[in-house]
Every structure is written in structure tokens, then in C-alpha cells.
């Protein structure tokens, strides 16, 4: 049973903190071998995590509890969502297969989880006074993972979550007498208008406080109208607000032990706790899923540029190690240096690069080995560097078939849906175009230095060295994970899927022959036949 710190606002504010949570794990801790430096850092600490219900948040909580059993409590900021209260959401989180390995190793791990009623869209994180006081007294390590990661999110929602909540977190941290480390999770693309991005905080596109006031005072329609002008050279609200969030951290942190973690595009896990685990369709994952089911046939993408993707579990290990490094840095630098040099860590794949064409080829290779029974057409996907070629594919291989299918569907008295699906797909592809046709250079000296500080034990326990990643092996697990966790098609159905895949293959080939014949026939009737007749008339 997951403990709940307090009820949401308007309900009982009774605190139900387990006073002896650490004692309950004492015997288990004592049985552990000697703790590594990173495990020692987390031993006996109270941790506060925002965004714990998201992809990275769940991986973070799972890894911390599995490898650092001496943690006192992990406080998760939870808000009601989609008709489910805080209790239901917390129970659903920990019933996920992601936590199976943790359940085997530490069956009573839920006693270390305390749910806190709050909301990052509200001022002060929506915390009650009782909860705020408890957290500030008991927490020493903070991870701010919460964010809206939709690229096209409305500014009215993106600003409170991505800009104001980091400010609120900083103010909360300033009330913590025992704070050892605070890490803000940003993105490697927060400064994407630049071609070369260093591990430092850049000047923001505008003052964060002005934007917060502007969004608070104006109605949503007006904010939407001025959003393009606000964005300037930033491609979307996500990267824009993330850039502002970093400036908030730099401005408000003072001498707090603060670090900024900038991961690249985070996709499925590599080897732990479950190979290939993924729970979202963002970025390349959505493309791979769409191509694997036969729905997506083209994307505007330069296949020769590097796809800056990183596995989820390696990313979380890097994040955990960064919090440890932030605390170590605090003890070695002066107060003046603290205020000027907030450490920024880039977790990118530059030292073990993979191109978009390689990503496509590997996804295709293993997609054909592990096809899904839920495919509606055979795999026929390609990266198109030139926009006009991509648009040709969109009109003739997406929209035209969708129109024909919807027409037949209407004639049968059913609700048409293919054109609606493709509208969503094309909207998704439009926000990816910017990142799939441009390449960036990143420095990562801070992160390399961090790797050098880790002991051999921590290096293995919190493995995050991207240079040791085997992309060939990784993509096999990646494709399987998409099939199992996103498409919801277990490997048990593989024999039936292969039979269906073979049938779709021959239908696909037959259709290509029919289309080729039709094209040649039209060319003959419109172009060649009149010319041939002219020659016949001339010589007869």
C-alpha cells in the first residue's frame, strides 16, 4: 500500500507519514554489501520527485528504490487526472510491469513511497501548508522531472508547467535546511536555434517573469495569436519554455547545490528493469510504430544526419549520478563560483552516433523479424530528404488510400476514420521535421568528467556510458518493446503475425503491379498512342 502524505486541497489535511519508514528497511540495508559512493550518497535520504507519473519519472523511482534500498522516503507529487483521484493514480503506477523486478528484490518497496497532493500548473505547486512543511523538513534531494513534452502545447499550459514550476521548486528548495542536491531536467534542444550547444546556461529569449505575467493576464485565444511572435527562432513552445526554465534556475538558485541535466531524445530502455520498455509515442518511437503497422510510409527527414537518441535506463542512471556529482561539486567550490557556474550535463549520443538512416534500417530489420498482428499494411517506409518528394508520398500513399477507404466505409454505413488518423499523423510529423532535417553539435565535457569520477562498482550499477552501447542489440529490444508495450501485441502472437505479414507482402506486391500497369496504360493512352498513330498515318 502506497502511503499518502495528505489528501488533495479541500479534503482532510491529516498527515499520515510513516515515522519508522527507515527503521523498517534497516535489516535489509544491513544485509547489503558495502555501499558504493553513489549508494552512500542516497542512503537515509528523503527524495522529492516531480513528474513521477511520466516515463522518465517512473524509471527514476524504480531505479532509486532497486539500487539504493537505504533511501528513507520518496515523495511523489501527484495530481488527480482523467477522473482518477491521487490514490488510484499511485496504485496504477506501481502495478505496472516495469516494477516487477523491484517487487522481486524489495517486496515492501511501496512503504518508501509517499504520495503528495499537488499540481505543477498551480502556484506553489498546489501544495498545502502542512505538506510543504513536511517536505522541506524531510527532503534533502530533489529531482524536477515534470514537464509538458508536447512540442505543440499551448503557451497557456506550457508556461505554468515548464517555466513557473521550476521557479516554485527553487523557492521550495530554499526552505530545505538539509538540501544536498537539486537537479532540473531540461532537454538538449532547449537552445536549438544554436548550431553548437555547450554545457552552460545561455541568455533566455525573453524574461521569464514577463512571460509568466503575460500568460496569466491574457486570455488563451489572445495568447495563441501572439505565440508565433513570442517564439521567434524557437520552433515550438516546448523548446522555448525549456530555455526560459533554465534561465529561471540560473537566476533564482543563488548558492543552492543545483545542476541542469539535458538529455537528448529519450527512447525505450536498453536492459533494465525490462528490456525495451516504453510507454509513449513521442519522437522516433511514434515513427517506428507507425511504419511497423503499415500506416506511416514517409517522413521528411535527412537520413544522413545523426539521430540524437539515448536509451531510457541509461539516461536515468546518468541523472542519478548527476545528482551525486552536484553535491560533490558543492563541497569543492566557493560560494561565488556556485552562483556563477551551475553545472550543466549533456547526455547525448555524439560519442556513439547513429544516423536516421541507420535508425530506419535497424528498425526495419527487426520489424520484419518481429511483425505485429495488428499491422494494416506491409512495411513500406522511407526517409525523404526533399520536402516535395515527401509531399508526393503523403498525397498518394497516405491521403489517397485514406480517402478511398473512408469512401468505402461510408458506403457500408460505418463511421470514416482514416483521414482523421492521418491528420493527426501529419500534425505529429510536422513538429518532427525541424529536428529530423537539422544537425547539432554538443559539448559533453562535464558528463565525461562525471564518468571519470565514478568507481567501477558505480559504473556498472549505474551504467550510462553511451560509448559501450551496442545499437544492433539495442534496436532488437527497441522494436520488441514497441510491439509489446505500445501496440499491445505480445510475442505469443508472432506465428499468426508472420502468416498475416506474408499475406500483406503479396497483396502489397500485387498492388504495385496493378499501379505500375495502370500508370503505363495511362502513359500509352495519353502520350504514346497519339504519337504512334501519327507515325502510322505519316508512313501510310
Amino acid at each position: 500500500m502506497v502511503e499518502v502524505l495528505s489528501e488533495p486541497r479541500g479534503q482532510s489535511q491529516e498527515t499520515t507519514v510513516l515515522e519508522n519508514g527507515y527503521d523498517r528497511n534497516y535489516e535489509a540495508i544491513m544485509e547489503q554489501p558495502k555501499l558504493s559512493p553513489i549508494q552512500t550518497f542516497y542512503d537515509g535520504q528523503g527524495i522529492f520527485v516531480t513528474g513521477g507519473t511520466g516515463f522518465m519519472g517512473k524509471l527514476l523511482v524504480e531505479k532509486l528504490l532497486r539500487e539504493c534500498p537505504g533511501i528513507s522516503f520518496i515523495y511523489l507529487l501527484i495530481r488527480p487526472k482523467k477522473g482518477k483521484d491521487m490514490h488510484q493514480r499511485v496504485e496504477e503506477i506501481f502495478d505496472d510491469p516495469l516494477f516487477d523486478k523491484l517487487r522481486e528484490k524489495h517486496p515492501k518497496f511501496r512503504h518508501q513511497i509517499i504520495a503528495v497532493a499537488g499540481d505543477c500548473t498551480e502556484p506553489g505547486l498546489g501544495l498545502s501548508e502542512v505538506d510543504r512543511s513536511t517536505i522541506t523538513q524531510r527532503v534533502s534531494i530533489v529531482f524536477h522531472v515534470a514537464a509538458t513534452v508536447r512540442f505543440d502545447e499551448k503557451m497557456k499550459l506550457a508556461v505554468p508547467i515548464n517555466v513557473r514550476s521550476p521557479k516554485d521548486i527553487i523557492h521550495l528548495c530554499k526552505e530545505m535546511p538539509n538540501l544536498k542536491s537539486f537537479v532540473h531536467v531540461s532537454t538538449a534542444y532547449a537552445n536549438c536555434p544554436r548550431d553548437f550547444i555547450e554545457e552552460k546556461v545561455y541568455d533566455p529569449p525573453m524574461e521569464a517573469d514577463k512571460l509568466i505575467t503575460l500568460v496569466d493576464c491574457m486570455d488563451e485565444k489572445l495568447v495563441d495569436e501572439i505565440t508565433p511572435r513570442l517564439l521567434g527562432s524557437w520552433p515550438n513552445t516546448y523548446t522555448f519554455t525549456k530555455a526560459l526554465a533554465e534561465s529561471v534556475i540560473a537566476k533564482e538558485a543563488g548558492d543552492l547545490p543545483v545542476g541542469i541535466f539535458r538529455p537528448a531524445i529519450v527512447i525505450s530502455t536498453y536492459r533494465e528493469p525490462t528490456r525495451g520498455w516504453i510507454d509513449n509515442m513521442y519522437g522516433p518511437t511514434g515513427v517506428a510504430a507507425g511504419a511497423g503497422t503499415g500506416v506511416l510510409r514517409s517522413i521528411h527527414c535527412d537520413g544522413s544526419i545523426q539521430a540524437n537518441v539515448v536509451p531510457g535506463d541509461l539516461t536515468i542512471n546518468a541523472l542519478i549520478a548527476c545528482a551525486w556529482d552536484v553535491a560533490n561539486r558543492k563541497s569543492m567550490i566557493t560560494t561565488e563560483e556556485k552562483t556563477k557556474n551551475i553545472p550543466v550535463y549533456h547526455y547525448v549520443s555524439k560519442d556513439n552516433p547513429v544516423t536516421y538512416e541507420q535508425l530506419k534500417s535497424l528498425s526495419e530489420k527487426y520489424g520484419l523479424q518481429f511483425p505485429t498482428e495488428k499491422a494494416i499494411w506491409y512495411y513500406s517506409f522511407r526517409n525523404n530528404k526533399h520536402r516535395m518528394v515527401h509531399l508526393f508520398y503523403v498525397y498518394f500513399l497516405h491521403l489517397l488510400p485514406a480517402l478511398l477507404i473512408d469512401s468505402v466505409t461510408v458506403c457500408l454505413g460505418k463511421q470514416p476514420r482514416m483521414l482523421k488518423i492521418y491528420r493527426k499523423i501529419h500534425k505529429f510529423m510536422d513538429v518532427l521535421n525541424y529536428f529530423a532535417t537539422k544537425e547539432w553539435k554538443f559539448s559533453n565535457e562535464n558528463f565525461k568528467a562525471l564518468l571519470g569520477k565514478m568507481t567501477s562498482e558505480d559504473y556498472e550499477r549505474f551504467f550510462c556510458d553511451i560509448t559501450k552501447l551496442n545499437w544492433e542489440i539495442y534496436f532488437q529490444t527497441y522494436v520488441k518493446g514497441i510491439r509489446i508495450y505500445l501496440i499491445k501485441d505480445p510475442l505469443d502472437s508472432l506465428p499468426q503475425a508472420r502468416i498475416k505479414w506474408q499475406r500483406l507482402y503479396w497483396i502489397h506486391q500485387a498492388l504495385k503491379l496493378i499501379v505500375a500497369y495502370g500508370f503505363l496504360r495511362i502513359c500509352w493512352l495519353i502520350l504514346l498512342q497519339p504519337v504512334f498513330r501519327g507515325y502510322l498515318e505519316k508512313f501510310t
Side-chain angles (χ1 to χ4, degrees):
M1 188 71 178
V2 175
E3 297 300 322
V4 178
L5 185 59
S6 73
E7 300 293 333
R9 286 184 177 181
Q11 300 181 29
S12 169
Q13 297 294 332
E14 180 182 358
T15 300
T16 57
V17 176
L18 293 177
E19 299 291 345
N20 62 339
Y22 181 67
D23 294 336
R24 190 164 30 230
N25 295 294
Y26 181 75
E27 292 182 2
I29 294 168
M30 293 302 292
E31 292 174 0
Q32 295 290 324
K34 184 179 178 180
L35 299 180
S36 70
I38 292 182
Q39 286 179 314
T40 301
F41 169 69
Y42 286 98
D43 192 51
Q45 304 304 310
I47 300 173
F48 182 55
V49 178
T50 67
T53 60
F55 174 64
M56 288 185 63
K58 286 189 282 189
L59 285 173
L60 173 63
V61 171
E62 193 279 339
K63 180 67 175 187
L64 284 172
L65 291 175
R66 182 159 48 85
E67 295 296 347
C68 303
I71 287 173
S72 178
F73 293 111
I74 295 181
Y75 297 85
L76 293 183
L77 189 71
I78 306 285
R79 67 182 176 91
K81 185 179 180 182
K82 296 180 180 178
K84 298 176 183 177
D85 63 23
M86 184 174 62
H87 305 272
Q88 292 173 309
R89 292 197 69 199
V90 172
E91 292 303 321
E92 285 183 2
I93 291 170
F94 295 106
D95 284 338
D96 194 293
L98 173 70
F99 295 91
D100 287 347
K101 192 172 181 179
L102 175 60
R103 268 188 287 270
E104 292 177 10
K105 190 172 182 180
H106 304 294
K108 296 182 179 181
F109 77 90
R110 292 196 185 193
H111 294 301
Q112 293 171 273
I113 302 293
I114 298 180
V116 183
D119 190 341
C120 282
T121 64
E122 295 183 11
L125 307 175
L127 291 170
S128 69
E129 290 301 321
V130 173
D131 292 351
R132 189 179 187 92
S133 175
T134 303
I135 289 170
T136 55
Q137 293 302 312
R138 296 174 180 268
V139 166
S140 56
I141 302 170
V142 177
F143 292 97
H144 183 45
V145 187
T148 172
V149 296
R150 285 183 56 182
F151 285 177
D152 58 347
E153 187 67 83
K154 290 181 178 295
M155 195 74 84
K156 195 77 172 177
L157 179 60
V159 169
I161 298 178
N162 291 356
V163 183
R164 188 176 64 201
S165 71
K167 186 175 182 178
D168 292 336
I169 287 282
I170 285 287
H171 290 168
L172 183 69
C173 287
K174 288 181 177 179
E175 298 174 24
M176 297 178 181
N178 302 311
L179 182 68
K180 298 174 65 176
S181 180
F182 164 55
V183 181
H184 168 74
V185 179
S186 184
T187 170
Y189 296 99
N191 301 284
C192 57
R194 299 174 179 272
D195 295 325
F196 176 63
I197 304 173
E198 299 178 79
E199 290 177 304
K200 68 179 186 179
V201 179
Y202 290 92
D203 292 334
M206 69 177 293
E207 286 292 329
D209 288 338
K210 289 182 180 178
L211 181 62
I212 293 171
T213 303
L214 187 71
V215 169
D216 285 344
C217 295
M218 297 174 67
D219 63 58
E220 185 173 330
K221 185 177 179 181
L222 193 54
V223 172
D224 290 344
E225 290 177 359
I226 66 171
T227 292
R229 294 181 62 186
L230 291 173
L231 294 180
S233 55
W234 270 258
N236 51 58
T237 56
Y238 174 66
T239 55
F240 178 77
T241 53
K242 279 297 193 179
L244 286 174
E246 291 190 359
S247 71
V248 168
I249 299 297
K251 180 181 178 181
E252 302 286 341
D255 64 348
L256 293 178
V258 172
I260 295 175
F261 181 67
R262 291 181 186 155
I265 303 167
V266 185
I267 50 179
S268 74
T269 58
Y270 178 39
R271 63 183 189 184
E272 61 169 343
T274 301
R275 288 183 177 272
W277 184 80
I278 184 79
D279 71 349
N280 64 80
M281 287 281 193
Y282 297 129
T285 302
V287 174
T293 54
V295 176
L296 188 62
R297 298 180 181 91
S298 172
I299 186 171
H300 184 207
C301 173
D302 183 350
S304 66
I305 67 176
Q306 292 182 16
N308 194 18
V309 294
V310 288
D313 53 338
L314 271 67
T315 304
I316 291 304
N317 289 339
L319 174 59
I320 291 170
C322 284
W324 166 73
D325 192 53
V326 165
N328 288 342
R329 281 171 172 259
K330 179 193 174 186
S331 62
M332 295 188 296
I333 60 178
T334 66
T335 302
E336 184 179 355
E337 288 174 325
K338 291 175 196 173
T339 60
K340 290 183 178 180
N341 299 309
I342 291 177
V344 178
Y345 304 87
H346 278 161
Y347 191 64
V348 293
S349 58
K350 60 169 285 188
D351 297 317
N352 187 7
V354 57
T355 66
Y356 278 110
E357 192 59 36
Q358 289 174 312
L359 191 154
K360 171 195 167 295
S361 298
L362 289 170
S363 297
E364 178 181 356
K365 174 182 177 180
Y366 292 108
L368 294 176
Q369 286 186 23
F370 304 99
T372 172
E373 196 177 17
K374 296 184 180 181
I376 64 172
W377 198 257
Y378 189 72
Y379 183 93
S380 178
F381 172 79
R382 66 182 61 198
N383 297 320
N384 285 303
K385 179 178 179 179
H386 303 289
R387 182 168 177 78
M388 292 306 297
V389 176
H390 167 66
L391 290 176
F392 173 84
Y393 276 84
V394 165
Y395 284 111
F396 287 96
L397 297 182
H398 287 179
L399 297 180
L400 181 58
L403 181 61
L404 294 174
I405 292 171
D406 279 356
S407 298
V408 173
T409 303
V410 170
C411 292
L412 295 175
K414 297 181 180 180
Q415 190 71 21
R417 62 191 186 97
M418 286 305 297
L419 281 173
K420 185 178 180 180
I421 290 173
Y422 274 111
R423 275 197 294 270
K424 291 182 179 179
I425 290 174
H426 295 154
K427 185 178 180 181
F428 164 75
M429 288 195 300
D430 286 343
V431 300
L432 292 182
N433 289 345
Y434 179 87
F435 302 95
T437 55
K438 182 179 177 182
E439 190 169 49
W440 289 265
K441 301 295 182 184
F442 298 93
S443 68
N444 63 344
E445 300 309 313
N446 283 346
F447 184 74
K448 285 182 178 179
L450 165 59
L451 277 178
K453 298 172 189 176
M454 295 171 68
T455 63
S456 58
E457 184 181 354
D458 277 333
Y459 181 89
E460 292 298 329
R461 191 182 296 275
F462 301 96
F463 176 69
C464 53
D465 188 349
I466 199 76
T467 64
K468 300 298 189 292
L469 176 68
N470 186 318
W471 287 113
E472 184 80 25
I473 296 174
Y474 173 76
F475 273 94
Q476 184 176 7
T477 66
Y478 181 49
V479 170
K480 285 182 182 179
I482 290 173
R483 187 186 198 274
I484 296 169
Y485 300 109
L486 293 183
I487 302 176
K488 305 297 183 183
D489 189 6
L491 290 177
D492 294 345
S493 67
L494 195 55
Q496 301 94 309
R498 284 173 174 161
I499 293 172
K500 180 179 181 179
W501 206 245
Q502 193 71 14
R503 185 166 63 247
L504 289 174
Y505 170 79
W506 289 113
I507 293 173
H508 180 68
Q509 301 304 326
L511 182 61
K512 287 198 294 185
L513 286 174
I514 292 170
V515 170
Y517 172 78
F519 178 74
L520 292 174
R521 184 71 177 171
I522 291 171
C523 289
W524 167 257
L525 293 175
I526 297 177
L527 300 175
L528 299 179
Q529 192 176 56
V531 174
F532 186 70
R533 284 177 178 174
Y535 276 110
L536 286 177
E537 292 173 358
K538 181 177 180 180
F539 290 104
T540 57

